[in-house]
Amino acid sequence: MSASQGSTNTNTEPWGSFDDNIIIQGSGSAVIDMENMDDTSGSSFEDMGEIHQRLKEEEEVTAEAAATEEDNGEDGEFLGMKGLKGQLGRQVADEVWQAGKRQASKAFNLYANIDILRPYFDVEPNQVRNRLVESLIPVRMINFPQKVAGELYGPMMLVFTMVAILLHGMKTSGTVIREGTLMGTAIGTCFGYWLGVSSFIYFLAYLCNAQITMLQMLSLLGYGLFGHCMVLFITYNVHFHSLFYILWLVIGGLSTLRMVAVLISRTVGQTPRLILCGTLAALHMLFLLYLHFAYHKMVEGILDTLEGPNIPPIQRVARDVPVVANAVVNATIKSISAVLQSQ
Amino acid sequence: MAEVEESSKRMFAGLSDISISEDIPVEGDISVPVRSQNADDDFSTLDEPVKDTILRDLRAVGQKFVHVLYPKKSSALLKDWDLWGPLLLCVTLALMLQGGSADSGDDGRPQFAEVFVIIWFGSVIITLNSKLLGGTISFFQSLCVLGYCILPLTVAMIVCRIVLLGSISSISFVVRLIVVTASFCWSTFASTAFLADSQPANRKALVVYPVFLFYFVIGWMILTFSPSP
């Protein structure tokens, strides 16, 4: 307040100059005056109202002075004077916007700082490729703790890829989700497995005194999903049960063996090793089995067991069992009654 | 080197008596009074008829569509980003892909909300990913680019709809496959032309893959769309 009064006093123009108003608001200032820097700076709207009121009063004064100056003719400053109202309003709005933005960015930096995750995404493409390939190669040396990369880019991309593959599988098998959406189920399944099983195995590792951090566990399991992605991609398109079982054992087994070997190398004692690795192996292999059979096109199954002209060629067994069973029962009863009647 | 110093000393000789002592804080405003010239223009956008505002926005959106269809190294999409175009495209796509209720018996086509959420959350995740990998592009600029590059896929959807008005046969499937594949490649190429520049050179592949996956999922949703009988 004193600053503005001081500057008005030193002014020689009768109507006050523009520099006063610009300095008063300080909205365009690139230099932050540290004296005024406190938590309430710019955050109370009463201050804004006060500034606005002060500006309005000054505007009235300058407008009065402008009315008397009107016969001065075209003047660069005079044109600016006419736009002063708009300029004032805009600068007040600007000040309000800056204040709001400062509050929002403070809250954002506190809660949603993505820079926390930045070091985990610091990878090169060839590193990701190498780790993908290594996830299928079990390590030999289990007496020495194996190094596990702590990155999250590869696992996240693998989870999203698996979501896409799962979606494709659900569509081609004609799954109908009644309470929810296809996409929601796919995302929930994949992310739930990755996060849930990682947490569970981390908890078991804590109980069994294994030397592994949560980040390393997430990374390990995430890369272990590479084998799953490959198997599902092949078997959702080529439907041979025997092929699926072979791939399940070979590729699923290799990726499980790798994770198990890494965990064994980081655990001491036979029983803890057995518990930890047995649980992980069971969950990993059973997940692949579940994903294949839950969304499986059962065309071959129907053609094998039921033959009849009145059954449409593509049908899902699990959901249509009552209808088909009814048809079979009806046909049987009709045939029995026909036989009885003919006797 | 000495000559340069000599000449600069001569040039600044007249200013030698101006000195800033260190205990006086240097401060000042960098507000440029150019504003007063634009005051009339900016102020009058509030007074102009609504038709003018809408037409101006539509023209900006249309100009960006042209930039997407012929992707060159231009910064129009990045400098003045807007989210009107992506919203328009997303709503059009979601309306056209909308399915009936799950009880109607046909295989569950995506609901409106599903497509909407996939597009917007997919874009957010790709943007976060590119920022975490050290990209220089801002959050909304990236959303803008990804949204505008859905245009080829929307065009493909319209073409598929027209093709499906005819008979549903394997020929129509092949035609649709070709159209959707072409538009998916176009979308990916267009968006990487804008996004990949903001990444360090050796990490372009890491940013391109999620974009590829995103447009692949949308393209696949378009391809597997079948109209209700």
Side-chain angles (χ1 to χ4, degrees):
Chain A
M1 287 295 265
S2 57
S4 63
Q5 286 163 2
S7 54
T8 326
N9 286 339
T10 57
N11 207 338
T12 52
E13 301 290 325
W15 40 267
S17 71
F18 304 104
D19 300 329
D20 283 4
N21 297 316
I22 292 171
I23 288 172
I24 286 166
Q25 278 126 39
S27 60
S29 166
V31 176
I32 303 172
D33 193 350
M34 292 305 286
E35 289 176 340
N36 296 334
M37 195 73 155
D38 55 46
D39 279 347
T40 61
S41 67
S43 63
S44 81
F45 282 100
E46 291 92 30
D47 288 343
M48 288 301 114
E50 221 179 284
I51 294 172
H52 194 96
Q53 187 62 28
R54 198 160 23 100
L55 291 171
K56 280 271 180 224
E57 285 164 22
E58 274 166 348
E59 190 191 301
E60 282 162 36
V61 165
T62 52
E64 273 180 46
T68 60
E69 296 279 310
E70 236 174 277
D71 47 353
N72 276 359
E74 285 281 305
D75 200 320
E77 286 170 324
F78 180 67
L79 269 184
M81 259 292 294
K82 237 184 120 167
L84 185 60
K85 252 191 201 167
Q87 195 180 17
L88 269 177
R90 231 173 323 102
Q91 283 184 326
V92 166
D94 194 41
E95 183 70 32
V96 169
W97 165 251
Q98 295 289 344
K101 200 165 140 181
R102 252 174 286 155
Q103 285 286 83
S105 65
K106 264 191 236 170
F108 182 75
N109 283 337
L110 204 55
Y111 297 117
N113 201 358
I114 64 168
D115 283 334
I116 301 171
L117 293 175
R118 207 177 274 272
Y120 307 138
F121 281 77
D122 192 14
V123 288
E124 306 290 320
N126 53 345
Q127 277 180 327
V128 176
R129 198 187 50 229
N130 290 342
R131 285 172 193 164
L132 283 175
V133 171
E134 276 169 7
S135 75
L136 290 176
I137 303 174
V139 288
R140 287 299 179 85
M141 221 173 13
I142 56 174
N143 300 319
F144 188 74
Q146 292 298 315
K147 190 169 104 64
V148 181
E151 66 148 303
L152 287 177
Y153 174 81
M156 277 206 59
M157 288 305 127
L158 278 170
V159 173
F160 280 121
T161 310
M162 206 161 83
V163 169
I165 295 174
L166 212 63
L167 217 59
H168 170 63
M170 286 202 262
K171 258 300 184 144
T172 52
S173 73
T175 307
V176 175
I177 309 275
R178 285 180 193 271
E179 308 279 330
T181 62
L182 227 57
M183 193 70 189
T185 313
I187 290 181
T189 310
C190 297
F191 268 97
Y193 175 75
W194 182 47
L195 294 172
V197 173
S198 287
S199 317
F200 180 62
I201 300 289
Y202 176 68
F203 168 68
L204 277 186
Y206 170 76
L207 289 180
C208 301
N209 269 335
Q211 304 292 322
I212 196 161
T213 64
M214 181 67 185
L215 174 71
Q216 286 172 331
M217 193 58 227
L218 281 170
S219 184
L220 195 64
L221 194 65
Y223 274 112
L225 287 174
F226 177 58
H228 280 24
C229 282
M230 275 189 358
V231 174
L232 289 174
F233 183 65
I234 297 172
T235 55
Y236 276 152
N237 295 315
V238 177
H239 299 275
F240 290 119
H241 273 282
S242 44
L243 178 68
F244 168 71
Y245 283 124
I246 293 172
L247 284 176
W248 176 61
L249 280 174
V250 171
I251 298 184
L254 278 177
S255 114
T256 312
L257 271 177
R258 165 152 178 102
M259 291 198 295
V260 158
V262 168
L263 279 177
I264 285 182
S265 75
R266 286 166 171 259
T267 319
V268 280
Q270 285 291 89
T271 318
R273 280 179 173 180
L274 200 63
I275 295 173
L276 201 57
C277 302
T279 322
L280 181 60
L283 285 171
H284 204 64
M285 299 293 273
L286 286 176
F287 185 57
L288 185 54
L289 215 60
Y290 163 73
L291 282 181
H292 179 79
F293 283 110
Y295 308 112
H296 184 56
K297 205 171 180 180
M298 294 206 183
V299 183
E300 310 96 20
I302 297 183
L303 292 180
D304 283 339
T305 58
L306 296 162
E307 280 164 27
N310 51 349
I311 295 172
I314 295 176
Q315 218 173 3
R316 275 189 58 85
V317 173
R319 277 167 182 76
D320 293 324
V321 159
V323 174
V324 168
N326 278 340
V328 167
V329 164
N330 288 342
T332 321
I333 290 178
K334 279 184 192 145
S335 63
I336 291 173
S337 63
V339 164
L340 286 175
Q341 275 180 351
S342 67
Q343 279 181 348
Chain B
M1 201 50 184
E3 291 157 342
V4 172
E5 279 178 356
E6 272 291 292
S7 60
S8 63
K9 275 191 191 145
R10 250 180 281 128
M11 267 181 357
F12 297 127
L15 303 171
S16 60
D17 50 0
I18 297 174
S19 65
I20 301 174
S21 69
E22 268 138 31
D23 45 286
I24 298 176
V26 177
E27 58 181 354
D29 279 338
I30 312 185
S31 62
V32 180
V34 185
R35 267 189 190 178
S36 53
Q37 277 128 31
N38 294 335
D40 283 344
D41 294 338
D42 284 352
F43 196 66
S44 62
T45 60
L46 278 175
D47 288 344
E48 68 178 6
V50 174
K51 183 175 74 116
D52 283 355
T53 315
I54 293 180
L55 280 180
R56 195 180 54 233
D57 284 338
L58 279 179
R59 225 171 284 134
V61 168
Q63 195 190 26
K64 293 201 185 82
F65 279 172
V66 171
H67 275 284
V68 168
L69 287 177
Y70 301 105
K72 297 183 292 252
K73 298 269 181 213
S74 75
S75 57
L77 261 154
L78 292 179
K79 252 195 249 165
D80 13 271
W81 55 268
D82 73 274
L83 293 176
W84 283 115
L87 183 67
L88 216 64
L89 288 172
C90 178
V91 168
T92 314
L93 202 59
L95 280 175
M96 285 199 287
L97 277 175
Q98 192 179 17
S101 66
D103 300 328
S104 64
D106 52 358
D107 59 335
R109 287 178 288 156
Q111 312 282 330
F112 178 91
E114 217 174 331
V115 178
F116 208 83
V117 162
I118 288 174
I119 292 179
W120 287 103
F121 274 106
S123 305
V124 166
I125 287 169
I126 294 175
T127 309
L128 282 179
N129 177 56
S130 81
K131 284 196 81 94
L132 282 169
L133 285 171
T136 54
I137 203 171
S138 92
F139 183 74
F140 286 110
Q141 279 173 340
S142 174
L143 278 186
C144 170
V145 167
L146 287 167
Y148 270 105
C149 290
I150 295 180
L151 178 67
L153 284 166
T154 312
V155 169
M157 178 76 216
I158 296 174
V159 170
C160 283
R161 265 292 181 115
I162 295 173
V163 167
L164 282 171
L165 283 177
S167 66
I168 300 176
S169 64
S170 58
I171 301 176
S172 81
F173 177 73
V174 168
V175 166
R176 280 187 296 140
L177 179 67
I178 294 173
V179 166
V180 171
T181 313
S183 64
F184 150 71
C185 294
W186 196 348
S187 285
T188 312
F189 173 68
S191 64
T192 52
F194 293 112
L195 282 180
D197 280 346
S198 62
Q199 291 291 331
N202 51 348
R203 294 207 185 162
K204 286 206 211 288
L206 295 182
V207 178
V208 169
Y209 178 70
V211 175
F212 167 86
L213 204 59
F214 175 61
Y215 288 127
F216 183 79
V217 169
I218 297 179
W220 169 85
M221 276 200 294
I222 291 174
L223 189 61
T224 57
F225 172 77
S226 56
S228 54

